[in-house]
Amino acid sequence: MAVSKNALKKWQKVRGFALGLPGASEEFPWGETVVKVNKKVFVFLGLDDGSYPLGVTVKLKDEAAHAHALTSPGAAPAGYGLGKAGWVRVPLEEQGAPAAELLCDWVEESYRVIAPKRLIAELDGS
């Protein structure tokens, strides 16, 4: 399955944004790309090799953001019980998929839910 260039560009932008957040690091558990802060995942990026449709999975505690994310084409609560904790998987290859900027906003919200207060203060410039 070939990855669309548009979806790959979004994926790369989201990955770069996530890695630019204070204390963020990339790891590859289960062969998938994740970005962690303080040893905790704040965004699942999956695989970019075309073996599975590109998508991002973020934790959205804000009710409006969570509801908005679920209106994205193909979006669904994350599997493995993570959906119950506010995790949403948003596909990137669907027609009408969110813009990279909105995805980055959701990644930042997920980061703020997971990151320790000192790193959030660093992000906010405090």
Side-chain angles (χ1 to χ4, degrees):
M1 165 189 318
V3 176
S4 81
K5 286 182 183 176
N6 186 36
L8 188 57
K9 275 185 178 177
K10 286 182 191 180
W11 187 89
Q12 289 168 335
K13 185 167 186 174
V14 168
R15 177 181 168 271
F17 175 82
L19 289 172
L21 294 168
S25 63
E26 187 173 47
E27 293 188 17
F28 304 94
W30 322 288
E32 294 189 26
T33 303
V34 302
V35 183
K36 293 182 174 185
V37 62
N38 206 30
K39 298 181 183 175
K40 294 180 182 177
V41 175
F42 69 92
V43 61
F44 292 88
L45 295 167
L47 304 168
D48 68 345
D49 64 1
S51 64
Y52 192 76
L54 273 182
V56 298
T57 303
V58 289
K59 186 170 187 172
L60 301 172
K61 286 290 192 180
D62 178 80
E63 287 181 28
H66 189 267
H68 187 207
L70 285 173
T71 67
S72 300
Y80 305 105
L82 293 173
K84 293 178 185 167
W87 289 90
V88 178
R89 182 173 193 290
V90 180
L92 301 182
E93 297 190 68
E94 297 281 334
Q95 183 74 28
E101 293 74 21
L102 180 56
L103 293 165
C104 289
D105 287 348
W106 292 340
V107 167
E108 183 176 331
E109 184 187 330
S110 188
Y111 174 87
R112 288 176 180 277
V113 170
I114 305 293
K117 288 184 173 111
R118 65 180 172 78
L119 291 177
I120 293 170
E122 185 180 328
L123 176 63
D124 292 337
S126 312

